[in-house]
Structures are given as structure tokens and as C-alpha cells.
Amino acid sequence: MKPFLAATLAICIPAVSLAETFSADVWADNWFEMRINGEIVAQDSVPITTKRSFNAESFEFEAERPFVIGLVAMDFKENDTGLEYIGTGRQQMGDGGLIAQIRNAAGDTVVVSDAAWQCLVVHTAPLDAACEDAADPVAGVGACDFEAAEAPAGWDTADFDATDWPQADVYTEAQVDPKMGYDEITWSDDAALIWGPDLEQSNTVLCRVTVD
């Protein structure tokens, strides 16, 4: 008699995607890039090299909760002095600011920019506001000294330890004076304009928040 051979039936069950579709609105002075878990999902359509590039961007992305939103935000500067309109009667320090809101497919607000975000400044200039009035401002010289650092590796991912990062600084519309595109978006009452500790000297900031 032949031995009984038990047949094993392999059943392949397809993985169920838990990704959701989200819509985002972002306004930045002057430029931003949004990342989800380290992957770029949107960039400001106006290059950072464009003076007075104030505009809002609206877009969609897919993500599976929990996920980390990483926002790179830059104010316009001509060089590491942190100044703009160098050599003209308008030579000055720029000022930044950003606001963001994320909604789910049902239109419910999921997260907005506020004090719960963490923002690390990676470019600060000039370190002395007197640079603004310098006849021949040179980056790194005298009042026009600056501080710059590389973005920490993996800063926009869930595994990154941001315990030591400061909370975002919140500003009013009067302080930021948002223009060109800001009024085209209906912002949540809870959405706030955020930035680093100084609107003029904090030129490049990395902001992050986790969405559960």
C-alpha cells in the first residue's frame, strides 16, 4: 500500500494597502519642499532664486499612518550674508514664514502647522543685524558672519530622534505679512504661521511633525 501523502495548498493573500490620499495646502516665504517619510512629494513651483516668490501650492499625496511630514523652508537670500537686494537702496534682511494644512479624503483636517511642530534652523545670517547697513557686505566677515549646518541624516523619517529639536515659533499675520497666494487658500482656524526663532535671521529651517 502506498503511503498517504498529505497535500499542502499554498494560499497567497495579497497585502492590503492602508495608504490614504491626503490633500495639502502650503504657503511659504519664499520656498518649500515637502517630504513624507523621507520621500519628496512636492516642491514650490517657483525657484528659490526668484525674488518675491510668494505663492501657495495645493497638491495630493498618499501615505500610510503613522507618517512623518518633513518641510524644508527657505527664505530668499543672495548669498550667505542672508541679505537681498545687495548694493541697492533696498539692501535688507529678508523675512520668512510658512503655513500648512493637511486634509484627508473626506475633507477633515488631519494636521496643521502650529507650535506642535519642531523646527531646526540650519542657516542663520547675518549674525549681526548691522550687516544690513554695510556698504560692501561680505559673507563671513564682521557683522556679516553666518552659521550653516548640513541637514541631519534621516531628519524627515520616523526613526530619527528629534527630542532635542526646538518647537516651532508661531507668528501672526501682521508679523509675517503674507502675500501673493496666501489669500487664495481658506486656512483652518487652527493653522498658524511658523518659522524659526527669528523671521529675518533664520534663513533655512527644517520642520517636522508625526501624523498618527
Side-chain angles (χ1 to χ4, degrees):
M1 178 182 294
K2 294 181 179 181
F4 175 76
L5 298 178
T8 301
L9 180 62
I11 301 176
C12 295
I13 301 176
V16 177
S17 174
L18 299 178
E20 301 175 63
T21 299
F22 298 91
S23 60
D25 300 307
V26 182
W27 178 92
D29 178 359
N30 290 93
W31 184 92
F32 80 91
E33 177 180 272
M34 179 179 279
R35 306 175 182 188
I36 302 297
N37 295 332
E39 299 293 329
I40 298 172
V41 297
Q43 284 185 335
D44 198 318
S45 60
V46 180
I48 184 59
T49 52
T50 305
K51 296 179 181 179
R52 297 184 61 80
S53 58
F54 311 113
N55 62 294
E57 302 281 355
S58 298
F59 52 91
E60 292 186 347
F61 65 90
E62 290 189 351
E64 183 176 326
R65 305 193 201 205
F67 59 88
V68 173
I69 299 174
L71 270 174
V72 182
M74 299 182 186
D75 184 32
F76 174 79
K77 62 184 186 299
E78 292 191 24
N79 53 42
D80 282 333
T81 62
L83 302 180
E84 52 190 17
Y85 307 112
I86 295 174
T88 74
R90 299 177 63 195
Q91 179 173 298
Q92 62 185 359
M93 300 162 62
D95 57 344
L98 73 89
I99 185 172
Q101 61 187 15
I102 311 294
R103 297 183 302 275
N104 61 20
D108 300 320
T109 300
V110 174
V111 67
V112 297
S113 53
D114 57 20
W117 289 54
Q118 293 173 284
C119 293
L120 178 72
V121 180
V122 293
H123 190 283
T124 303
L127 297 186
D128 186 339
C131 174
E132 187 174 47
D133 299 320
D136 184 22
V138 178
V141 177
C144 297
D145 202 3
F146 65 94
E147 292 180 351
E150 295 293 327
W155 69 273
D156 48 6
T157 64
D159 293 334
F160 184 79
D161 183 4
T163 304
D164 294 334
W165 279 34
Q167 300 302 124
D169 289 271
V170 174
Y171 298 91
T172 65
E173 289 186 9
Q175 289 172 305
V176 176
D177 190 21
K179 311 174 183 67
M180 299 163 64
Y182 178 84
D183 291 334
E184 296 174 8
I185 304 295
T186 301
W187 299 103
S188 166
D189 291 339
D190 297 323
L193 289 152
I194 63 173
W195 201 247
D198 192 293
L199 284 173
E200 293 186 314
Q201 292 175 300
S202 302
N203 296 311
T204 302
V205 297
L206 310 178
C207 296
R208 56 170 279 151
V209 72
T210 299
V211 178
D212 296 315

